[in-house]
Amino acid sequence: MKLIKVLAISFVLILPLALKAQEQKIYDTTADAKKDIAAAVEAAQKSNKHIFLQIGGNWCPWCIKFHNFVHDDEELSSYVADNFEVVKVNYDQNNKQEELLTELEFPQRFGFPVFVILDETGKRIHTQNSAFLEKDKSYDKDKISRFLKNWSPTALDPASYKK
């Protein structure tokens, strides 16, 4: 009987959290990804940043988990804001972004979320399989930090390596 009570209480406590996670919408399903990327390129040229494309969907628990992981970590979120223009590209059964993903050389081959880094001109310079940034059932802050730093404008600036 105690087990049934514990399970019932656990269910009541966990259900709202699970429903909230499903309700969180970080991808705009009506957004024009190409237009958003063009705006990000324009902003990146003015601010000396790269463009970080987070491709996934609201249906994808790992996509939501990545967004929350970076958003909730002040150090990571600040680094992203200082070095990248971010565009969340929605991918779902109603909009597979086929033309855009072809232009980006098929990043969906890695699953979702997948991250594409563009330079300030909009040229693809890196595609990142997000699985390499995971640890256990979450993400690894050190791996994410290294990934972001390795593809930041400073990392690719030859002046950074002159003595």
Side-chain angles (χ1 to χ4, degrees):
M1 188 63 146
K2 279 188 174 182
L3 179 61
I4 293 173
K5 285 183 182 179
V6 169
L7 290 173
I9 291 170
S10 297
F11 180 75
V12 168
L13 294 174
I14 293 172
L15 183 62
L17 295 174
L19 291 174
K20 183 178 180 187
Q22 287 182 331
E23 291 174 6
Q24 188 175 11
K25 306 289 186 213
I26 64 166
Y27 293 88
D28 180 352
T29 59
T30 64
D32 181 337
K34 285 191 162 203
K35 182 178 175 183
D36 291 347
I37 292 169
V41 167
E42 188 175 317
Q45 289 173 345
K46 293 176 183 174
S47 60
N48 192 34
K49 294 181 181 181
H50 283 163
I51 298 96
F52 180 93
L53 304 181
Q54 181 180 334
I55 305 170
N58 296 319
W59 52 268
C60 167
W62 280 96
C63 301
I64 305 296
K65 194 177 289 194
F66 180 84
H67 167 80
N68 290 336
F69 190 92
V70 172
H71 181 268
D72 294 345
D73 185 289
E74 189 174 324
E75 186 179 344
L76 288 174
S77 62
S78 292
Y79 192 83
V80 169
D82 291 345
N83 290 278
F84 298 94
E85 295 294 331
V86 178
V87 179
K88 290 183 179 73
V89 177
N90 181 62
Y91 175 96
D92 61 31
Q93 66 186 11
N94 297 320
N95 189 355
K96 295 187 189 259
Q97 304 285 354
E98 291 170 341
E99 184 180 337
L100 174 62
L101 296 180
T102 299
E103 291 172 16
L104 295 172
E105 299 181 8
F106 310 102
Q108 69 271 34
R109 68 188 182 274
F110 296 117
F112 298 99
V114 62
F115 313 120
V116 177
I117 305 295
L118 309 176
D119 69 11
E120 71 281 355
T121 68
K123 177 185 172 202
R124 184 186 67 84
I125 56 175
H126 182 69
T127 301
Q128 179 66 46
N129 180 339
S130 66
F132 295 125
L133 305 177
E134 296 173 9
K135 181 177 181 183
D136 300 323
K137 295 184 187 257
S138 186
Y139 285 97
D140 184 288
K141 181 177 178 174
D142 291 333
K143 290 177 184 178
I144 293 171
S145 182
R146 278 193 309 257
F147 156 63
L148 294 169
K149 288 178 181 174
N150 285 334
W151 294 101
S152 69
T154 302
L156 298 178
D157 182 358
S160 298
Y161 302 97
K162 291 183 180 175
K163 293 183 182 185

